Amino acid sequence: IQIGTGDGIGFLALCQAVDKLSLSAPCIGVNPVSDTPSLPEPLAEQHRTYYDEFSFIIQEDPSSALREGGIDLLVLHAELTDDLIMALRAHWQARLSERAVVVVCNPGRIARGQSAREYLESLGAACPSVRFQHAEGDIEAYLVGKDQPERLQKLAGLDIGTPAYMAARQVFARLGQ
């Protein structure tokens, strides 16, 4: 699930990953802003053509969207308003699976308010995390679930600036391009 479809590129990248890896997982975009299109038209056409069978986007308040099922991946790509933080705590956090990872795109841009910063600080204090910074923006991934793959645990255990961290950062930067 991705809350906030943004420019659509990240959401379509998730759809492409599900497709290429032959995962049996739905991709769900929740766009909390109802007066803007969910995806720019060229990307909306790609979405309909390639991913429509397992992916959909809803324009709805995150506090009332999707009430069932466990969430393995929650991507936050919308401004973390006080209302969204309340919805995350009250409705979404309990639905995170034992394998759940919460990814925050550009935390410095979307977490401007005090409650948003406190929410991210609480995730960081409670969970192993990985942070990658580059010119287009930062990405933070929090390993929320207790049943994480060993590879993710090792990645989260890397210290910033070490050769292993720099190598992982380089790999992700290349993949991002």
Side-chain angles (χ1 to χ4, degrees), residues 81-151:
T81 62
D82 290 346
D83 288 341
L84 181 53
I85 295 300
M86 286 190 328
L88 288 168
R89 290 184 190 276
H91 303 287
W92 293 85
Q93 213 152 311
R95 296 184 48 225
L96 296 174
S97 75
E98 290 297 311
R99 303 181 304 209
V101 175
V102 175
V103 174
V104 182
C105 301
N106 300 311
R109 262 190 271 166
I110 68 170
R112 293 186 185 145
Q114 182 66 27
S115 63
R117 288 191 297 275
E118 288 173 359
Y119 177 74
L120 294 182
E121 287 171 9
S122 70
L123 281 178
C127 314
S129 63
V130 180
R131 182 177 189 169
F132 290 110
Q133 300 171 300
H134 63 81
E136 284 78 45
D138 301 349
I139 293 176
E140 290 184 15
Y142 299 95
L143 309 183
V144 177
K146 299 190 183 334
D147 186 18
Q148 296 293 331
E150 184 179 340
R151 293 170 80 184

Side-chain angles (χ1 to χ4, degrees), residues 44-66:
E45 179 60 32
Q46 285 185 323
H47 183 262
R48 284 189 295 273
T49 302
Y50 298 109
Y51 309 120
D52 209 30
E53 63 192 49
F54 63 87
S55 174
F56 58 95
I57 299 172
I58 57 175
Q59 290 190 296
E60 193 171 332
D61 182 336
S63 64
S64 60
L66 305 172

Side-chain angles (χ1 to χ4, degrees), residues 25-41:
C27 290
I28 304 165
V30 179
N31 191 4
V33 182
S34 61
D35 60 346
T36 59
S38 297
L39 295 173
E41 188 47 43

